[in-house]
Amino acid sequence: MFEPRSLESPIVGAPMAGGPSTPELAAAVSAAGGLGFLAAGYRSAGQLAAQIQRARELTSAPVGVNLFVVEPVEPDPAALQAYRVALEPEAQRLGVTLGTPRWDDDGWAGKLEVVLDLQPEVVSFTFACPDADVLGRLTAAGITTMVTVTTAAEAGIAEARGARALSVQGPGAGGHRATFDQSATPTQAPLGSTVEEIVAGTGLPVVAGGGIATAGEVAGLLSRGAVAAQVGTALLLADEAGTNALHREALTGGRFTSTTPTRAFTGRLARGLTNRFITAHPDAPVGYPHLHHLTAPVRAAAVAQHDADTAHLWAGTGFPAIHGGPAATVVDALTP
């Protein structure tokens, strides 16, 4: 069974759903001595299987797969309707119709069967913790299970249910915050102190990330007891990443200088480059994945029309320090 402490380079490539994570990126990070991840989110079970198989063709090194754990939620109907009304001008301007807000589990059962069948070395989870039966089935298949947590309390839940490793996410992370309760205000405790608290309370290997973009920051996490640093934004400009052209330009063009956590795009707090859409919709209600489906046509049209003021441009706080080139070069630069 894969042991995170065994990595040649203490770098884990964070799973980034929606395009940036590719088999080529995962394989390149793993081949460089780290651990690359595929993002199962928003893909079908068949697409996930094809991506795992492609990564296997590209490297014999261990690879990971991340699954969304989407627990049932019902947004406030009045708040949801009010937000739909607020978004109508956005949709009209881009020439699209808003999507239908709904709950779904992101194809959970099918994707779980895929990872049990193809057996990537690591399967991680975000948004919540699977039950003990699921974690037990994966462990019995020889797969290392890793749960993404943001607090010591969440870490305790994951360990009690049988997780074999923890991914600790700090407030500086780009994209969605992994807080189990999506309606809660996530902790703003510094990543380093949260890592120390969790390491002190568990014997599980801890991987940690959130805004990490330099070798010095990686070294700081290792000194606090983490076995590796998880980086996502730092890989967005890598040659092998599937980051779209608009996103790449926004990260490097100098126009955007800050990031902001927002519910405006999906109903779950996520950190992105501070643009007009984020500042125009500060009161978006809690409700993932309902808002994700509602805004999906707007987000797709914004990318297609090269509209950086409206697109979701996920990025962590360390984005000013990132650079392009082969993923192996990025991994090497981050390794203390």
Side-chain angles (χ1 to χ4, degrees):
M1 184 174 290
F2 175 79
E3 168 53 64
R5 296 181 180 91
S6 69
L7 288 172
E8 178 184 337
S9 177
I11 303 297
V12 173
M16 296 178 284
S21 288
T22 64
E24 291 74 18
L25 180 61
V29 172
S30 292
L35 176 66
F37 262 89
L38 295 168
Y42 312 131
R43 301 195 182 279
S44 69
Q47 289 171 332
L48 174 60
Q51 290 216 328
I52 296 172
Q53 291 162 346
R54 175 60 178 155
R56 291 288 195 216
E57 292 171 359
L58 294 169
T59 183
S60 59
V63 294
V65 170
N66 176 260
L67 302 182
F68 287 172
V69 185
V70 189
E71 297 193 320
V73 64
E74 278 301 326
D76 176 77
L80 185 59
Q81 177 58 26
Y83 195 52
R84 171 185 278 280
V85 171
L87 291 177
E88 284 290 356
E90 304 275 9
Q92 291 171 6
R93 180 175 52 79
L94 292 167
V96 297
T97 301
L98 290 170
T100 302
R102 58 185 171 84
W103 182 86
D104 68 78
D105 66 1
D106 196 50
W108 168 258
K111 293 175 188 180
L112 186 59
E113 290 308 311
V114 166
V115 295
L116 283 165
D117 179 38
L118 297 182
Q119 298 186 5
E121 281 74 13
V122 182
V123 172
S124 70
F125 303 91
T126 193
F127 298 163
C129 182
D131 62 34
D133 176 66
V134 168
L135 295 175
R137 288 173 64 194
L138 289 163
T139 299
I143 298 168
T144 298
T145 55
M146 179 184 294
V147 175
T148 309
V149 301
T150 63
T151 65
E154 291 174 351
I157 292 170
E159 183 168 18
R161 293 185 186 179
R164 293 302 182 94
L166 299 170
S167 174
V168 180
Q169 186 198 51
H176 286 106
R177 198 73 194 277
T179 310
F180 287 3
D181 179 1
Q182 66 168 287
S183 66
T185 300
T187 176
Q188 294 302 302
L191 174 61
S193 60
T194 301
V195 168
E196 286 186 341
E197 182 182 7
I198 290 174
V199 167
T202 182
L204 298 178
V206 168
V207 173
I212 303 303
T214 68
E217 291 167 339
V218 173
L221 289 177
L222 300 181
S223 72
R224 292 173 182 265
V227 303
Q230 181 162 286
V231 298
T233 302
L235 290 166
L236 282 173
L237 298 178
D239 295 345
E240 299 88 345
T243 314
N244 65 60
L246 176 64
H247 201 171
R248 287 177 182 268
E249 180 182 304
L251 288 165
T252 58
R255 176 183 172 190
F256 297 101
T257 59
S258 65
T259 62
T260 301
T262 180
R263 297 187 190 276
F265 294 108
T266 70
R268 175 182 268 275
L269 276 174
R271 183 179 291 277
L273 298 177
T274 309
N275 64 2
R276 181 202 59 80
F277 191 92
I278 288 177
T279 57
H281 301 288
D283 299 321
V286 175
Y288 180 90
H290 301 71
L291 268 65
H292 161 76
H293 293 300
L294 178 67
T295 68
V298 169
R299 290 181 284 122
V303 171
Q305 297 176 33
H306 214 73
D307 181 357
D309 289 317
T310 308
H312 63 298
L313 304 167
W314 299 148
T317 54
F319 84 91
I322 70 175
H323 56 84
T329 301
V330 176
V331 171
D332 183 62
L334 289 169
T335 301

